Amino acid sequence: MAFDRPPDPGAPPRRDAAAPDASAEASDAALIVRSRREPDAFAVIFHRHFAEIHRYAARRLGSDAADDIAAETFLAAFRKRGRFDPARGTVRPWLYGIATRLVSQHRRSEGRHYRALARTPAERAQDGHDDRVAARVTAGGAGAELAAALDRLPRGDRDVLLLVALADLSYEEVGQALGLKTGTVASRLNRARRRLREALGGTNPALIVEESTA
């Protein structure tokens, strides 16, 4: 079967001779290599990683755009799978890199998303974990400033910041995702955090960025 588009995220992976079982111990990198000769093998990559890529896109652009961004990410990954080099990194940062480049094409939408979040009352936060509730309240209080500050960050700095804050990637993984040296990732992250801290009157942005974009 030709794999010319990502499978339905609600459907289970195919379990035939061409598609490996999702519960198998095959690594992501091995599956990418296998998918070059057996395209259906890519369905397992899709099912393993679609939810987190979709969540990342939703946090940056909102749920309306996330479906398209996530689907386009996996379609692009499938088409580029022949260029994936397992020796240079793992599949997860590679997927986040594709998603981030797609998000960058929607800068205006991202700015609107942040400003809409800034208008969401902190009282709407509902969570049983005290730390998360406190973080949401803090975000609600600084929401307008945070949204404006994120919107003003250079795209490269914002991408690094949010890959660390939202995707929980290491500096090395962010470098793999964006094609940057680890030192460049560190400098961009430090610069982004400093600018947000200044915009928020000294508040540590690490406490509120993830929660305010959730």
Side-chain angles (χ1 to χ4, degrees), residues 151-165:
D151 200 30
R152 287 196 299 267
L153 286 177
R155 188 187 74 190
D157 292 1
R158 183 169 61 246
D159 288 343
V160 167
L161 174 72
L162 295 182
L163 281 171
V164 171

Side-chain angles (χ1 to χ4, degrees), residues 3 5-6 22 32 36 61 72 74 87-88 94 100 106 127 129-130 146 170 175 181 183 188 194 212:
F3 192 101
R5 60 181 179 179
I32 292 287
R36 294 169 186 168
L61 295 175
E72 288 174 19
F74 285 91
R88 297 187 61 184
W94 181 60
T100 298
H106 298 265
D127 198 299
H129 194 294
D130 292 344
L146 177 62
S170 67
K181 294 181 179 179
R188 289 187 180 185
R194 183 180 67 252
S212 66

Side-chain angles (χ1 to χ4, degrees), residues 55-199:
R55 183 165 54 249
Y56 170 71
R59 285 176 167 185
R60 292 198 61 170
L61 295 175
S63 57
D64 288 345
D67 290 346
D68 288 341
I69 293 294
E72 288 174 19
T73 295
F74 285 91
L75 181 56
F78 177 77
R79 289 172 173 169
K80 297 177 180 179
R81 69 195 189 283
R83 286 180 272 169
F84 174 76
D85 181 2
R88 297 187 61 184
T90 59
V91 170
R92 188 168 172 264
W94 181 60
L95 292 173
Y96 272 108
I98 295 172
T100 298
R101 286 187 286 275
L102 290 170
V103 166
S104 72
Q105 299 172 14
H106 298 265
R107 287 192 66 187
R108 291 183 180 179
S109 296
E110 187 174 18
R112 287 195 297 269
H113 177 58
Y114 293 148
R115 289 188 288 274
L117 286 170
R119 295 191 296 270
T120 302
E123 291 77 10
R124 290 184 57 185
Q126 299 292 328
D127 198 299
H129 194 294
D130 292 344
D131 290 342
R132 287 176 63 87
V133 172
R136 284 187 181 275
V137 170
T138 301
E145 292 86 355
L146 177 62
L150 285 170
D151 200 30
R152 287 196 299 267
L153 286 177
R155 188 187 74 190
D157 292 1
R158 183 169 61 246
D159 288 343
V160 167
L161 174 72
L162 295 182
L163 281 171
V164 171
L166 303 184
D168 197 27
L169 297 186
S170 67
Y171 287 16
E172 292 78 10
E173 289 173 329
V174 173
Q176 293 167 16
L178 302 180
L180 301 173
K181 294 181 179 179
T182 303
T184 302
V185 171
S187 63
R188 289 187 180 185
L189 181 61
N190 289 336
R191 183 169 57 234
R193 285 174 170 168
R194 183 180 67 252
R195 290 182 177 181
L196 290 188
R197 187 178 291 110
E198 292 170 353

